[in-house]
C-alpha cells in the first residue's frame, strides 16, 4: 500500500519535475515566470499524439522535444529578448497571452475532444516487484523523470555552462561583470526548458489523458510547486514537486472528497509557515 | 493657472451632464440587445477597474477576479436557496463572506513579490473553481449546472423583473459603475494611493522610511475585491442565474484584457475597456474567436500600446507618469 502510494506519487512528480524545473531555469536567468509553459506542455502532448500515430511512441519522444526546442529558440528571440527592458510583470503577462494564443491554436487544429495515446508494446502491461504488480509505463515514467532530474543536476554542477547558469541565477549583475554572456545562456536554457516540456507532454500521453484543459491545470500545479519550492530555486522545485506529487496521490486515496483542493491547502500552509518557500531561491522585489 | 477657479466648476457641470445623459439617454434610444451588451460591458468594466487599480497603484496583477465575481453571485444564490434569507440579507451575507475571504487571502499573499502575487491569485482562483465543482458540495453549488436564483420581494425598491429588464438595470449599472469609479479614483488620489505608489516603486525604501508597507496593500486588495464582489452581485441580480463559467479563468483574463484595452490609469479607461470588450465579443464570439483574440489583445496591448486606448488618446503628462506601461525597469 505505502509502496504503491510512493511509486504513484513518484510517477506524477516525474512529470511535474520536468515542467517545474524548466520554469525555475528560465526564472533564474530572466526573472520571468513563463505563464505559457502549460500551453507548451499541451503542444508537446498533442504533437506527441500526432507523431505517435505516424511513426510510433519512440519517434515522438525524440522528435517532439527537438521541435519544441526550436519553438523555445523562437520564443527567446521573438519574445524574451525584445522585451528585456520591460518590467518582469509585463513580460509575464505577455507569456500569459502567448500561452492563451498557443492553446487556442491547438484547440483549433485538434478540436475540443480528449485524445489518448497507447504506450508502446514493451511498456504496456505490468510487472511484479516484491509481490506488488505495477504498470511498466509508470516505472518508465519514474526512470525518465528521475533520470532527467539527475542529468540536470549533473549539468548544473559539473559543466562550465551549468556553473554560469548557477552564477547568473544567484547574482545576475555580478555574473555579467565577470564576463558571462547571459543572452547566450538564456538561449540554451529556454530551449532546454521547452524541450523538457515536450518530453513531459509526450510522456503524459499514455499516463494522463490529452485534453484542452491540460495546459491550465498543469501551469497552475507548476506555479504552486515553484512558489512552494522558493521562486527560482531548482533544488527547491524538485523537492516541492515530490511533495506535491505525494500530497496529490495521498489526497486522492485518503481524502477523495476534497482531493482536488489538497494542492491549494498545501500551498496555503507553506505560505503561512514559510512565505518564501522551502528552497533558497533568490527573492526579488 | 489663472482660469482654474472657473475650470473646476465647469468640469463638474460637464461631468454631471454626462452622468445624467448617460443614465437616461440609452434607455430611450438603444434597443434591449444593445443595452444588454452595455450592461455586461459595465459589469466587466467594474472587474477591469479593480484589476487596473491594483495594477496601476500597487503594481500587482491579480488573475483571480473571477473567483470573487462568480463567488459572490454563487454565495447569494446559496443564501437565497439554502439558508432561506430574504434577498437583502442574502446580499449582505454573500458580500460579507466574500470580503472575509478576500481579506484572509490577501493577508496571505500581498506580502509576496509581484510575480509570486500573480501566480498565487491564479492558483487561488483555480482553487475556488475546483471547490465549486466538488462532488460533496454539489447540493449547495449546483456543480456544473449552476444555480437559478429567483427572489420575491424587493431589493433597493426593485423587483426581480426590474433587474432582469435591460433598461431598468442599465440605470443601476450606470450608477454602480460611476460610484465604484469615483471611489477608486478618490482612493488613488488620497494618502493611501500615494503610499501604494511609493511602495510599488521601492518597497524596501518605504519600509526603511518607517512606513507600514503591508497594511496599505492589504487594504487596496480588499478594496478592489469589494468592487468585484459588487459587480458579481449585480450580475446575479440581473441574470437570475450563476454558472460555474463565471468563476472560470477566462473571466479573469477577460477583465485583464478590458483593463489593458482601456488603459490602467484612471477610472474611465477600464470601464470603457469593459464596454468595448463586450461589443467586440459579440462581434467575434460567435466565430469562437474570443479566447484567441483575448490572448492576442494581451500581447498587443502590452507590447505596442502599454497605455491602452484611453491612455493612448490622452496626452496628459500625469497619466504617463502614473502609467504602469512605458519602459520602466523594476528590477
Amino acid at each position: 500500500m505505502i509502496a504503491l502510494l510512493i511509486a504513484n506519487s513518484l510517477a506524477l512528480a516525474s512529470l511535474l519535475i520536468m515542467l517545474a524545473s524548466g520554469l525555475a531555469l528560465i526564472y533564474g536567468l530572466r526573472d520571468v515566470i513563463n505563464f505559457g509553459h502549460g500551453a507548451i506542455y499541451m503542444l508537446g502532448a498533442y504533437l506527441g499524439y500526432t507523431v505517435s500515430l505516424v511513426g510510433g511512441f519512440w519517434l515522438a519522444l525524440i522528435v517532439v522535444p527537438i521541435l519544441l526546442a526550436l519553438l523555445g529558440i523562437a520564443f527567446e528571440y521573438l519574445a524574451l529578448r525584445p522585451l528585456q527592458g520591460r518590467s518582469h510583470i509585463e513580460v509575464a503577462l505577455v507569456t500569459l497571452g502567448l500561452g492563451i494564443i498557443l492553446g487556442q491554436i491547438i484547440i483549433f487544429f485538434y478540436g475540443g475532444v480528449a485524445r489518448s495515446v497507447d504506450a508502446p508494446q514493451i511498456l504496456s502491461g505490468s510487472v511484479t516487484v516484491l509481490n506488488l504488480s505495477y504498470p511498466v509505463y509508470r516505472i518508465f515514467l519514474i526512470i525518465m523523470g528521475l533520470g532527467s532530474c539527475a542529468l540536470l543536476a549533473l549539468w548544473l554542477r559539473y559543466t562550465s555552462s551549468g556553473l554560469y547558469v548557477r552564477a547568473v541565477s544567484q547574482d545576475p549583475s555580478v555574473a555579467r561583470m565577470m564576463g558571462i554572456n547571459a543572452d547566450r545562456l538564456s538561449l540554451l536554457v529556454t530551449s532546454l526548458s521547452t524541450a523538457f516540456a515536450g518530453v513531459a507532454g509526450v510522456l503524459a500521453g499514455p499516463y494522463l489523458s490529452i485534453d484542452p484543459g491540460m495546459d491550465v491545470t498543469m501551469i497552475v500545479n507548476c506555479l504552486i510547486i515553484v512558489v512552494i519550492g522558493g521562486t527560482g530555486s531548482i533544488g527547491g522545485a524538485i523537492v516541492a514537486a515530490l511533495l506535491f506529487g505525494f500530497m496529490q496521490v495521498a489526497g486522492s486515496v485518503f481524502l477523495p472528497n476534497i482531493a482536488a483542493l489538497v494542492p491549494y491547502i498545501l500551498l496555503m500552509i507553506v505560505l503561512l509557515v514559510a512565505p518564501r518557500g522551502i528552497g533558497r531561491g533568490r527573492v526579488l522585489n | 493657472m489663472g482660469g482654474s477657479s472657473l475650470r473646476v466648476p465647469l468640469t463638474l457641470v460637464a461631468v454631471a451632464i454626462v452622468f445624467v445623459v448617460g443614465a437616461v439617454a440609452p434607455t430611450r434610444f438603444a434597443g434591449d440587445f444593445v443595452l444588454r451588451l452595455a450592461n455586461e460591458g459595465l459589469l466587466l468594466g467594474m472587474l477591469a477597474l479593480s484589476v487596473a487599480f491594483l495594477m496601476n497603484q500597487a503594481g500587482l496583477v491579480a488573475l483571480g477576479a473571477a473567483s470573487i465575481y462568480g463567488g459572490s453571485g454563487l454565495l447569494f444564490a446559496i443564501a437565497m436557496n439554502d439558508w432561506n434569507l430574504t434577498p437583502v440579507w442574502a446580499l449582505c451575507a454573500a458580500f460579507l463572506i466574500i470580503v472575509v475571504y478576500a481579506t484572509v487571502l490577501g493577508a496571505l499573499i500581498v506580502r509576496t513579490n509581484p510575480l509570486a502575487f500573480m501566480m498565487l491569485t491564479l492558483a487561488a482562483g483555480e482553487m475556488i473553481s475546483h471547490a465549486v465543482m466538488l462532488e460533496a458540495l454539489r447540493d449547495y453549488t449546483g456543480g456544473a449546472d449552476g444555480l437559478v436564483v429567483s427572489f420575491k420581494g424587493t431589493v433597493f425598491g426593485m423587483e426581480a423583473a426590474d433587474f432582469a429588464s435591460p433598461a431598468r438595470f442599465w440605470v443601476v449599472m450606470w450608477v454602480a459603475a460611476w460610484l465604484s469609479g469615483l471611489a477608486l479614483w478618490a482612493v488613488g488620489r488620497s494618502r493611501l494611493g500615494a503610499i501604494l505608489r511609493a511602495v510599488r516603486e521601492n518597497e524596501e525604501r518605504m519600509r526603511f522610511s518607517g512606513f507600514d508597507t503591508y497594511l496599505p496593500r492589504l487594504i487596496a486588495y480588499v478594496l478592489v475585491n469589494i468592487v468585484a464582489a459588487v459587480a458579481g452581485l449585480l450580475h446575479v441580480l440581473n441574470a437570475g442565474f450563476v454558472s460555474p463559467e463565471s468563476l472560470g479563468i477566462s473571466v479573469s483574463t477577460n477583465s485583464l484584457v478590458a483593463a489593458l484595452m482601456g488603459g490602467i490609469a484612471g477610472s474611465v479607461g477600464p470601464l470603457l475597456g469593459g464596454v468595448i470588450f463586450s461589443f467586440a465579443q459579440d462581434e467575434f464570439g460567435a466565430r469562437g474567436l474570443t479566447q484567441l483574440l483575448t490572448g492576442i489583445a494581451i500581447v498587443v496591448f502590452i507590447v505596442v500600446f502599454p497605455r491602452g486606448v484611453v491612455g493612448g488618446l490622452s496626452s496628459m503628462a500625469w497619466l504617463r507618469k502614473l502609467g504602469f506601461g512605458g519602459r520602466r525597469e523594476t528590477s
Side-chain angles (χ1 to χ4, degrees), chain B residues 190-244:
Chain B
S190 71
R191 189 180 137 83
L192 178 65
I195 293 175
L196 283 173
R197 289 190 297 279
V199 172
R200 179 193 73 189
E201 290 308 321
N202 194 328
E203 200 251 334
E204 210 168 19
R205 194 180 295 155
M206 282 301 277
R207 224 171 338 132
F208 286 157
S209 311
F211 284 91
D212 183 357
T213 60
Y214 174 65
L215 202 59
R217 282 191 286 183
L218 180 59
I219 294 173
Y221 183 74
V222 174
L223 204 65
V224 300
N225 280 319
I226 286 177
V227 172
V230 170
L233 292 173
L234 285 173
H235 166 71
V236 71
L237 284 173
N238 174 227
F241 177 72
V242 213
S243 68

Side-chain angles (χ1 to χ4, degrees), chain B residues 29-187:
Chain B
F29 302 115
D32 273 3
F33 182 70
V34 171
L35 275 175
R36 212 166 273 144
L37 281 182
N39 284 333
E40 273 170 29
L42 280 186
L43 282 173
L44 184 65
M46 281 177 72
L47 289 185
L49 191 64
S50 75
V51 172
F53 181 84
L54 211 56
M55 227 163 143
N56 186 31
Q57 304 287 337
L60 298 172
V61 180
L63 293 175
S67 56
I68 304 293
Y69 177 74
S72 58
L74 196 65
L75 281 168
F76 173 67
I78 292 172
M80 292 277 304
N81 296 346
D82 294 315
W83 304 340
N84 298 319
L85 296 178
T86 63
V88 177
W89 282 112
L91 281 178
C92 294
F95 183 76
L96 275 180
I97 294 172
I98 218 77
V99 169
V100 168
Y101 165 74
T103 311
V104 172
L105 180 66
L108 273 174
I109 67 175
V110 293
R111 66 171 83 236
T112 57
N113 70 55
L115 211 49
F117 178 85
M118 191 167 150
M119 302 196 267
L120 289 169
T121 51
L122 180 64
E126 283 299 292
M127 170 175 78
I128 297 298
S129 64
H130 278 139
V132 168
M133 303 299 275
L134 283 182
E135 202 56 44
L137 293 177
R138 225 190 110 81
D139 289 343
Y140 269 111
T141 61
D145 303 331
L147 286 177
V148 176
V149 192
S150 56
F151 66 87
K152 296 189 178 66
T154 57
V155 179
F156 314 128
M158 288 172 71
E159 289 172 15
D162 294 330
F163 281 108
S165 140
R168 298 264 174 83
F169 188 69
W170 166 257
V171 182
V172 178
M173 204 52 243
W174 179 253
V175 173
W178 272 72
L179 284 180
S180 45
L182 281 174
L184 290 188
W185 176 76
V187 173

Side-chain angles (χ1 to χ4, degrees), chain A residues 187-199:
Chain A
L187 188 61
L188 177 68
V189 160
T190 309
S191 52
L192 198 67
S193 157
T194 51
F196 261 6
V199 176

Side-chain angles (χ1 to χ4, degrees), chain A residues 27 31 33 35 86-90 93-94 97 100-101 104 220 223 257 261 264 267-268 271-272 284-285, chain B residues 61 108 113-115 118-120 122-123 126-127 130 134 256 291-292 295-296 298 302-303 324 330-331:
Chain A
Y27 178 81
D31 283 347
I33 288 290
F35 280 77
R86 297 295 193 88
S87 80
H88 307 134
I89 293 290
E90 285 180 293
L93 283 175
V94 169
I100 295 175
I101 296 172
Q104 290 300 311
V220 170
L223 293 180
N257 284 331
L261 298 186
Y264 305 104
L267 174 69
M268 296 299 160
L271 274 182
L272 264 180
L284 93 166
N285 257 308
Chain B
V61 180
L108 273 174
N113 70 55
L115 211 49
M118 191 167 150
M119 302 196 267
L120 289 169
L122 180 64
E126 283 299 292
M127 170 175 78
H130 278 139
L134 283 182
L256 176 70
Q291 282 310 304
L292 182 64
I296 293 173
I298 293 179
I302 287 183
V303 176
F324 171 81
T330 56
S331 58

Side-chain angles (χ1 to χ4, degrees), chain A residues 14-82:
Chain A
S14 298
L15 280 185
L16 295 170
I17 284 173
M18 279 184 251
L19 290 160
S21 57
L23 271 185
L25 273 174
I26 297 188
Y27 178 81
L29 275 190
R30 288 271 189 221
D31 283 347
V32 166
I33 288 290
N34 177 13
F35 280 77
H37 211 60
I40 295 172
Y41 157 75
M42 179 156 98
L43 180 65
Y46 275 98
L47 283 180
Y49 166 78
T50 304
V51 179
S52 294
L53 281 185
V54 178
F57 178 81
W58 298 109
L59 186 72
L61 199 54
I62 295 166
V63 170
V64 172
I66 295 173
L67 287 176
L68 287 197
L70 294 176
L71 181 77
I73 291 172
F75 177 54
E76 165 76 22
Y77 273 112
L78 298 177
L80 291 182
R81 266 188 213 179

